[in-house]
């Protein structure tokens, strides 16, 4: 049997106020016995200013009252974007082939501060306000032009039936999507001629690139919020030319945009489009942003459905066809497995916001900060005479 150890020769314990020895730096072991095999953490971030990593968000961190000194805090402090009347052009007008002009944060700042950027974002806000407190199935004014746009999108949906996915082993990026996209490019001008009056046929050189870049990238076989923004930019260009008028806005969201989202979900499922620039579980959604803005506006002042209603399966089953926000939640739950709070923590946090008005205003600010102000997204955006 071992003898009890004699502790009389041990050093007395140090006072908690005694400063730590220099030898106990971060590069030494826990017992201060020497250097560890690990290098101390870098003092400077290896990430560039142009493409910083997404802010880390632990699961179930609150959507409101975020920790200070974060990008989320900066988003909440900026004013809510306001609607603007679209500035229409005067004819005759010289159209030009659009090109990429954003390469750095300085270019982003110049764009965000421009009248063109404010008018484009104001157009997005106007669309959001037009659908406020309205169901998707509500009756709206539908012009002949909007009906033709819906017909074009239905044609694109039909092409997915005619071009089946190729048999391949890779999970993402079915190569048959390139066949679908090539058909889109080849027929883009004839599709535009269906909606453009004679006086505006010369605009095809400028608006066709926005249209063809609205449905994903054929080289990378991916799709993301940048492509979605190009679709909104295409609609904005039509509004600037007077092809779409303010009276069309409600149907533009409930008919045109709803069909566009249906098309994109079809493409995502059939051809397994890879998310472009996704933040993973820390982002709002892998592919979309605008349907959450429009969908939250639809639910403003609803008597029964609150942001927390996204967790009620009966509500999702019965009302997802009427409200875009709920439709987005249903689709996410369909394609992602596991607990909702784990694969979509940001949306789960937003469900704790008290009302849809706050959700909508927060998403508008987030869209500006997380899409329009991000170089990795906007470096692919096009600028011409209609969006400068």
């Amino acid at each position: 049997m071992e003898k009890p150890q004699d502790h009389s020769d041990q050093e007395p314990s140090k006072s908690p106020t005694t400063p730590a020895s220099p030898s106990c730096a971060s590069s030494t072991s826990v017992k201060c016995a020497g250097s560890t095999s690990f290098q101390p953490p870098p003092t400077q971030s290896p990430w560039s200013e142009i493409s910083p990593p997404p802010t880390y968000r632990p699961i179930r961190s609150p959507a409101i009252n975020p920790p200070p000194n974060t990008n989320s805090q900066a988003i909440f402090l900026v004013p809510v974007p306001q609607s603007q009347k679209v500035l229409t052009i005067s004819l005759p007008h010289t159209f030009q082939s659009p090109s990429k002009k954003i390469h750095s944060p300085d270019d982003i700042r110049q764009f965000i501060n421009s009248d063109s950027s404010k008018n484009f974002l104001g157009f997005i806000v106007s669309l959001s306000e037009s659908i406020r407190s309205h169901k998707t199935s509500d009756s709206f004014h539908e012009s002949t032009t909007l009906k033709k746009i819906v017909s074009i999108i239905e044609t694109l949906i039909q092409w997915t039936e005619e071009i089946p996915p190729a048999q391949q082993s890779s999970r993402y990026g079915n190569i048959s999507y390139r066949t679908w996209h090539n058909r889109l490019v080849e027929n883009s001008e004839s599709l535009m001629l269906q909606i453009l009056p004679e006086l505006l046929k010369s605009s095809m050189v400028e608006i066709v690139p926005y249209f063809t870049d609205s449905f994903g990238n054929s080289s990378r076989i991916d799709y993301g919020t940048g492509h979605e923004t190009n679709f909104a930019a295409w609609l904005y260009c039509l509004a600037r030319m007077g092809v779409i008028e303010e009276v069309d806005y409600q149907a533009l969201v409930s008919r045109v945009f709803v069909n566009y989202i249906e098309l994109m979900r079809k493409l995502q499922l059939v051809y397994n489009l890879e998310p472009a620039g996704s933040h993973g579980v820390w982002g709002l959604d892998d592919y979309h942003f605008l349907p959450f803005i429009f969908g939250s506006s639809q639910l403003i002042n609803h008597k029964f459905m609150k942001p927390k209603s996204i967790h009620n399966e009966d509500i999702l089953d019965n009302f997802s066809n009427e409200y875009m926000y709920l439709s987005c939640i249903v689709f996410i739950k369909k394609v992602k497995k596991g607990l909702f709070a784990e694969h979509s923590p940001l949306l789960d946090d937003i469900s704790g916001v008290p009302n849809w008005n706050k959700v909508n205003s927060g998403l508008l600010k987030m869209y500006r900060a997380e899409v329009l102000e991000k170089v990795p997204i906007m470096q692919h955006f096009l600028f011409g005479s209609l969006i400068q």
Side-chain angles (χ1 to χ4, degrees):
M1 186 171 181
E2 293 185 0
K3 296 181 180 180
Q5 294 183 0
D6 184 6
H7 299 283
S8 59
D9 294 331
Q10 293 182 359
E11 291 184 354
S13 60
K14 294 184 180 180
S15 170
T17 59
T18 304
S21 169
S23 63
C24 297
S26 59
S27 60
T28 60
S29 69
V30 174
K31 298 181 179 181
C32 303
S35 300
T36 66
S37 58
F38 300 98
Q39 294 295 325
T43 58
Q44 294 183 347
S45 172
W47 301 91
S48 68
E49 179 187 359
I50 293 180
S51 182
T55 304
Y56 174 74
R57 292 176 54 83
I59 293 177
R60 294 301 301 139
S61 65
I64 55 178
N65 299 325
N69 300 321
T70 66
N71 189 46
S72 299
Q73 182 71 25
I75 293 174
F76 280 96
L77 292 177
V78 299
V80 179
Q82 300 298 309
S83 61
Q84 284 192 18
K85 188 177 181 64
V86 172
L87 304 174
T88 55
I89 61 173
S90 300
L91 296 177
H93 180 84
T94 302
F95 297 99
Q96 62 186 59
S97 180
S99 60
K100 300 176 183 179
K101 295 184 178 180
I102 290 181
H103 308 287
S104 68
D106 288 337
D107 296 331
I108 283 286
R109 283 187 285 270
Q110 184 177 352
F111 168 64
I112 287 298
N113 293 327
S114 68
D115 292 337
S116 186
S117 168
K118 294 173 183 176
N119 198 229
F120 172 62
L121 183 56
F123 170 69
I124 299 293
V125 179
S126 296
L127 293 181
S128 175
E129 292 179 352
S130 72
I131 201 70
R132 177 174 293 178
S133 304
H134 286 291
K135 295 184 295 183
T136 300
S137 64
D138 286 350
S139 298
F140 301 118
H141 166 79
E142 290 185 64
S143 65
T144 303
T145 299
L146 289 192
K147 291 179 180 179
K148 289 180 179 179
I149 295 176
V150 171
S151 177
I152 289 173
I153 296 175
E154 290 173 346
T155 298
L156 301 184
I157 293 176
Q158 179 60 34
W159 289 354
T160 64
E161 304 293 337
E162 300 171 6
I163 305 173
Q167 297 296 321
Q168 60 183 52
S169 58
S170 60
R171 176 186 175 189
Y172 282 118
N174 193 284
I175 58 175
S176 289
Y177 170 74
R178 291 176 177 153
T179 304
W180 182 93
H181 198 276
N182 288 338
R183 184 184 292 189
L184 169 71
V185 173
E186 292 169 359
N187 291 273
S188 58
E189 291 192 2
S190 62
L191 295 174
M192 291 303 98
L193 288 175
Q194 296 181 27
I195 60 175
L196 292 176
E198 186 68 31
L199 290 175
L200 292 171
K201 287 184 178 179
S202 61
S203 68
M204 287 196 296
V205 67
E206 184 159 345
I207 68 172
V208 164
Y210 288 106
F211 180 74
T212 55
D213 204 26
S214 298
F215 308 97
N217 182 277
S218 60
S219 298
R220 299 186 300 269
I221 314 184
D222 65 7
Y223 172 86
T225 52
H227 302 102
E228 181 186 68
T229 299
N230 272 317
F231 186 74
W234 177 68
L235 297 176
Y236 172 74
C237 289
L238 295 180
R240 286 217 62 196
M241 295 188 297
V243 177
I244 292 174
E245 299 178 347
E246 197 166 342
V247 69
D248 298 319
Y249 283 5
Q250 291 177 325
L252 193 63
V253 177
S254 65
R255 304 295 184 264
V256 173
F257 201 83
V258 166
N259 277 274
Y260 168 73
I261 295 299
E262 180 185 349
L263 166 62
M264 292 319 307
R265 287 174 181 162
K266 186 84 171 179
L267 292 174
Q268 291 158 25
L269 293 176
V270 173
Y271 302 120
N272 295 324
L273 302 186
E274 189 170 357
S278 170
H279 290 314
V281 299
W282 312 120
L284 186 68
D285 182 69
D286 285 341
Y287 299 100
H288 296 290
F289 203 115
L290 291 178
F292 292 95
I293 293 177
F294 301 149
S296 61
S297 182
Q298 286 183 292
L299 288 160
I300 289 176
N301 297 326
H302 198 283
K303 291 183 179 180
F304 308 109
M305 282 185 275
K306 308 299 179 185
K308 64 182 179 181
S309 298
I310 67 168
H311 302 294
N312 187 315
E313 294 298 328
D314 288 337
I315 288 179
L316 293 178
D317 291 341
N318 289 288
F319 297 100
S320 60
N321 290 333
E322 295 285 10
Y323 299 98
M324 276 180 280
Y325 196 100
L326 302 183
S327 175
C328 290
I329 300 299
V330 169
F331 185 75
I332 289 172
K333 289 187 173 184
K334 175 183 177 181
V335 298
K336 293 187 176 183
K337 306 301 180 184
L339 296 175
F340 186 78
E342 294 181 354
H343 62 62
S344 302
L346 183 53
L347 287 171
D348 188 59
D349 290 341
I350 291 174
S351 70
V353 176
N355 59 70
W356 290 109
N357 195 50
K358 287 189 175 182
V359 172
N360 181 254
S361 60
L363 288 175
L364 283 169
K365 292 189 286 186
M366 188 178 174
Y367 180 72
R368 173 182 169 174
E370 296 298 329
V371 178
L372 299 184
E373 293 185 4
K374 292 298 183 183
V375 173
I377 296 175
M378 296 304 292
Q379 65 182 347
H380 304 294
F381 196 70
L382 301 172
F383 295 89
S385 67
L386 299 173
I387 302 179
Q388 301 177 345

